Amino acid sequence: MKLHMMKFTALLSGVLGVSSLCAAPVQAQSATPAPDNGTFDVEQLFAGTCGFCHSDGGRTAGKGPQLMNSPRDDDFLHNRIKNGKSGAMPAFGGAFTDAQIDQIIKYIRALKPREG
Ligand code: HEC
């Protein structure tokens, strides 16, 4: 009888374990992405992800145009980063949230020529 109870408890906790696993993704989906978690380092991200085409952190032209002192407005930059341009630039809308794209634009607007 005692053994039987232990089996039952094990079974029950097994079931509970499974059901809480199932609940986790639902929770993750309804959570809104944090707009500024401290781990989103734009400068590093830019160098790694964009620097291949936008040279020197966006300061000079490469395969893509120079971004520093861009005459384009924020909406244009946002749209270009989010949707890319066919045959020219990949779309990053799947990689970054709108808030993160806005942070990238802030980074672009703050670009200055390197000293020295
Ligand atoms: C494979 C090369 C490539 C990569 C990688 C790339 N870009 Fe571009 N980007 C381009 C090209 C080419 C254009 C010009 C598109 C056009 O003809 O309008 C461009 C245009 C832009 C523009 C608009 C500038 C303007 O004045 O038209 C922005 C902003 C931009 N890129 C940001 C980024 C950011 C941010 C990243 C990284 C997350 C990135 N790009 C990654 C090639 C690239």
Side-chain angles (χ1 to χ4, degrees):
M1 176 62 191
K2 203 175 173 203
L3 187 69
H4 183 81
M5 274 307 286
M6 275 169 69
K7 266 192 188 157
F8 178 73
T9 317
L11 184 73
L12 190 67
S13 62
V15 169
L16 285 175
V18 169
S19 66
S20 60
L21 261 182
C22 289
V26 178
Q27 249 176 4
Q29 262 171 13
S30 61
T32 42
D36 67 338
N37 52 36
T39 59
F40 188 70
D41 182 339
V42 182
E43 190 164 359
Q44 208 176 21
L45 167 147
F46 194 97
T49 309
C50 324
F52 176 63
C53 297
H54 299 285
S55 301
D56 199 11
R59 291 173 182 82
T60 58
K63 290 157 88 70
Q66 173 184 320
L67 300 179
M68 182 175 65
N69 299 329
S70 171
R72 313 282 201 174
D73 64 19
D74 285 6
D75 282 350
F76 182 97
L77 301 185
H78 193 107
N79 184 58
R80 179 65 82 237
I81 297 168
K82 190 170 182 173
N83 301 314
K85 183 171 173 176
S86 174
M89 175 169 153
F92 290 94
F96 307 125
T97 63
D98 282 340
Q100 287 173 326
I101 292 175
D102 285 341
Q103 278 186 267
I104 296 172
I105 293 170
K106 252 167 92 179
Y107 160 87
I108 290 171
R109 294 298 186 207
L111 281 173
K112 302 257 184 308
R114 287 202 195 275
E115 318 253 318

